[in-house]
Amino acid sequence: MNSPVTRSAHHDDATGVPDDPVATTSALARIDFGVAVPALLLILGIAAWAMFGRDSFDVASTSSFSWLVNDMGWAFILMATVFFFVMFGIAFSRYGHIKLGRDDEKPEFSTPSWVAMMFAAGMGIGLLFYGPYEPLYHYREGVPGHAKHEVGTAFATTLLHWGPVAWATYAIVGVTIAYGTFRLGRPQLISAACIPLIGERRANGWLGKLIDIAAIFVTVFGTAMSLGLGAGQIAAGLTAVGWIDGTTVTVMLGAIGVLAVAYLASAMSGVARGVQWLSNTNMLLAGAVAVFILVFGPTVAILNTIPTAAGSFLDQAFEMLGRSAGSVDGTAGEWMGSWTIFYWAWWVSWTPFVGMFLARISRGRTIREFTVGIVIVPTVLVLVWFAIFGGTTIQMERSGDSVWGDGSPEAMLFNMLGELPFPGVVSVIVVVLLATFFITTADSASTVMGTMSQRGRVNPTPWVTGIWGLMTTIIASVLLLSGGTDILNSLQTIIIVAGAPFLLVVIALMLSLAVAVQEDPMFLEEKEARKAYVRLLREQRNRERRGVIDDSAHSGSITADAPEDLAKKWG
């Protein structure tokens, strides 16, 4: 399996598309200081403000959060739905069979490795954190417009947040980047992917740099959110197995520090050797844990949950997509900020990192294959995952063996494992799984930020990757210090504020894709062939009118002069 950067560069004779656009742009590998330096200063400035001006930082972030949820939450809700329908509209239109690469190109990674990498990079830590917690929360507390203890509603809401709508947001960014990079030979940059909409001159100018700076900025904060959740849950796991006395900020910072060394080493090893190996390991461990819970947990209840969850999601989909801060007589705002709007902002903040990473591993697949693989396959896995973890905690709640405890989401997974056989051994395995998800997430994000700061270089310089990994570590540590042990609330506030402006960029990418596929080389050739055929047919009819050709010539002239395939298609 070759890394893209190791291949030779040549052009495909049929389409003119570069065989390897990355290799043809080796001169662009130098650092773009117009992007890297402002992004670095902005991130360090935010970190310093959060550390040394905590009161003013809290006031500013809380005020921004309230404004975004109450006044701009509708934009997140509306666009999440639009992304989903546009993505599937393009995928199942005539543009769906366009290759993300040459017309004859094969996928670089096998399908199992491809699924493993996209799943681990897309949601790994979050699934372990929210798997046993979110369905149980909605079951216990209810959702706006619904009563408590509605199992179907609890799972429908969870699948709204983690299912096809979320993955379609990733897909719209990933496919736009992959199309521009591997089909058209452009640098692997968010700004370059926007060329069909803003033009090449603006993409290479100040507007393009601003887009790439914003992409790095939200990637750092989106990744820091996941690392903060992972550190808190690792600390809870170490407490559960008796290795430490309790979860403290110091313990969480220690976990981040130790794992930072591992993920920096992994990131510097490259995608094929680092992320692929760890992602496959993640999937094996996650699958083993899920099967263990399925077998030793409430098996029948879990299996019953799968059709209940799927059916309830389909039944309530439009109701949930239309829910906003003004729903339920204007009382849904606080809940929306803690759940749906938070998730949409979180996924938007992850789109530069996950989208670019998905693009990087999806070369050679069609737009339709990309969409089905990125949206449908993870959704099915998410459905089964939440049915196993959430179905178990809800069944325990019903039977009087509640794992809710003090409501701490960090500890809930280990509370659940404590009610099953072999709690110590399985808890250790889960801590290892959290660590590998932690490493994979930070590994992928660091590599992608290196790419964005080096003008689209697919394999960025190791020390550049290391700097961005260090920045992510610093931000995650600062967020933990500023939020104390109330990890979730502080991280939710920051991620909505940091991710909101990037929604505009995702909209621009969606429009760029819609424009670009209409001008794809394959369709341009078809358009020119169609014009030539119509012109030939018109000339033939003119000759007939003038009596230039006889009946025998007329019977075979179209297929004789026009290409056979075009005659069949348009004749």
Side-chain angles (χ1 to χ4, degrees):
M1 185 177 299
N2 294 325
S3 172
V5 80
T6 63
R7 300 185 185 131
S8 60
H10 65 273
H11 286 76
D12 179 79
D13 293 336
T15 65
V17 177
D19 178 51
D20 188 353
V22 176
T24 65
T25 57
S26 59
L28 300 179
R30 64 187 185 278
I31 297 174
D32 188 345
F33 290 101
V35 171
V37 173
L40 188 63
L41 293 177
L42 182 60
I43 291 165
L44 289 174
I46 295 294
W49 184 18
M51 282 292 295
F52 303 111
R54 184 175 301 179
D55 292 340
S56 61
F57 179 79
D58 288 343
V59 170
S61 60
T62 302
S63 299
S64 300
F65 171 84
S66 298
W67 178 77
L68 286 167
V69 169
N70 295 325
D71 295 342
M72 294 302 297
W74 61 268
F76 285 100
I77 297 165
L78 176 63
M79 293 315 303
T81 306
V82 170
F83 295 149
F84 175 81
F85 284 107
V86 169
M87 190 69 256
F88 273 87
I90 293 175
F92 289 93
S93 70
R94 68 188 186 118
Y95 305 114
H97 63 276
I98 295 175
K99 275 284 186 75
L100 302 176
R102 302 186 318 273
D103 287 341
D104 61 346
E105 193 158 7
K106 301 297 183 183
E108 183 179 6
F109 296 102
S110 68
T111 298
S113 291
W114 180 55
V115 171
M117 283 190 285
M118 71 184 179
F119 196 66
M123 293 180 173
I125 290 176
L127 287 173
L128 284 169
F129 188 91
Y130 284 98
Y133 169 64
E134 183 171 349
L136 180 59
Y137 179 92
H138 297 320
Y139 174 78
R140 285 174 56 96
E141 306 298 327
V143 301
H146 290 267
K148 299 178 181 180
H149 301 155
E150 292 184 9
V151 175
T153 299
F155 280 101
T157 305
T158 303
L159 288 178
L160 170 71
H161 298 151
W162 293 86
V165 179
W167 285 94
T169 303
Y170 289 158
I172 204 79
V173 175
V175 75
T176 306
I177 296 172
Y179 179 82
T181 301
F182 301 126
R183 184 73 174 172
L184 303 180
R186 292 169 178 155
Q188 197 174 66
L189 294 170
I190 302 292
S191 57
C194 292
I195 287 176
L197 184 66
I198 65 176
E200 192 165 357
R201 182 177 63 83
R202 291 189 180 89
N204 293 329
W206 67 269
L207 182 57
K209 292 187 184 301
L210 186 62
I211 290 172
D212 291 332
I213 290 169
I216 292 176
F217 178 78
V218 298
T219 299
V220 167
F221 279 88
T223 308
M225 167 82 187
S226 291
L227 300 191
L229 296 181
Q233 203 166 23
I234 288 171
L238 296 176
T239 302
V241 297
W243 292 358
I244 61 175
D245 293 332
T247 300
T248 65
V249 173
T250 302
V251 171
M252 290 186 283
L253 291 176
I256 288 178
V258 171
L259 292 174
V261 176
Y263 76 67
L264 289 176
S266 175
M268 293 179 187
S269 69
V271 168
R273 288 178 297 169
V275 178
Q276 185 185 7
W277 185 86
L278 283 173
S279 297
N280 290 337
T281 302
N282 287 346
M283 291 297 287
L284 290 174
L285 286 176
V289 171
V291 170
F292 171 83
I293 297 172
L294 175 63
V295 172
F296 291 97
T299 306
V300 175
I302 290 172
L303 295 176
N304 285 333
T305 297
I306 294 175
T308 298
S312 298
F313 173 77
L314 295 174
D315 180 57
Q316 299 183 31
F318 287 101
E319 174 196 346
M320 294 186 296
L321 290 172
R323 185 184 293 135
S324 69
S327 300
V328 195
D329 199 24
T331 62
E334 183 178 355
W335 185 92
M336 292 292 295
S338 297
W339 292 103
T340 303
I341 296 175
F342 154 68
Y343 274 120
W344 295 164
W346 193 11
W347 302 151
V348 165
S349 72
W350 264 37
T351 53
F353 145 46
V354 179
M356 189 170 290
F357 185 76
L358 293 176
R360 188 177 177 188
I361 65 175
S362 300
R363 180 173 182 167
R365 300 186 184 273
T366 66
I367 291 178
R368 185 170 300 150
E369 184 182 6
F370 180 95
T371 302
V372 172
I374 299 299
V375 179
I376 302 301
V377 174
T379 296
V380 173
L381 293 175
V382 163
L383 168 63
V384 174
W385 182 272
F386 278 102
I388 292 173
F389 285 78
T392 300
T393 54
I394 288 178
Q395 181 61 27
M396 289 178 174
E397 180 81 12
R398 286 169 150 181
S399 63
D401 298 320
S402 178
V403 297
W404 184 258
D406 62 356
S408 170
E410 296 85 14
M412 208 159 294
L413 173 60
F414 297 98
N415 292 344
M416 178 189 73
L417 295 176
E419 300 295 325
L420 300 175
F422 318 112
V425 175
V426 180
S427 294
V428 170
I429 293 174
V430 170
V431 170
V432 172
L433 179 58
L434 282 165
T436 55
F437 269 135
F438 188 108
I439 292 169
T440 304
T441 299
D443 176 335
S444 306
S446 301
T447 302
V448 165
M449 287 185 284
T451 293
M452 289 189 283
S453 61
Q454 289 195 281
R455 303 177 190 270
R457 185 180 185 185
V458 171
N459 286 343
T461 306
W463 66 266
V464 174
T465 300
I467 287 177
W468 291 120
L470 182 61
M471 289 301 100
T472 304
T473 303
I474 290 173
I475 290 297
S477 301
V478 167
L479 292 179
L480 288 178
L481 288 171
S482 64
T485 56
D486 187 10
I487 304 168
L488 191 56
N489 287 334
S490 62
L491 291 179
Q492 285 178 331
T493 299
I494 296 300
I495 205 63
I496 289 178
V497 174
F502 202 76
L503 179 64
L504 298 175
V505 178
V506 180
I507 294 172
L509 288 167
M510 176 187 67
L511 297 175
S512 296
L513 176 64
V515 171
V517 293
Q518 297 179 58
E519 301 299 324
D520 184 84
M522 178 172 59
F523 291 108
L524 290 178
E525 289 179 0
E526 284 189 5
K527 288 179 182 178
E528 291 302 318
R530 187 189 296 267
K531 289 179 182 178
Y533 177 74
V534 171
R535 184 166 57 250
L536 177 64
L537 186 62
R538 186 182 299 115
E539 291 174 355
Q540 178 179 307
R541 288 175 177 171
N542 288 338
R543 289 196 300 270
E544 289 177 358
R545 292 191 189 98
R546 294 194 300 267
V548 175
I549 58 177
D550 58 24
D551 291 341
S552 60
H554 169 67
S555 64
S557 58
I558 291 179
T559 55
D561 295 334
E564 182 179 354
D565 58 332
L566 295 180
K568 291 179 180 178
K569 190 171 184 178
W570 298 312

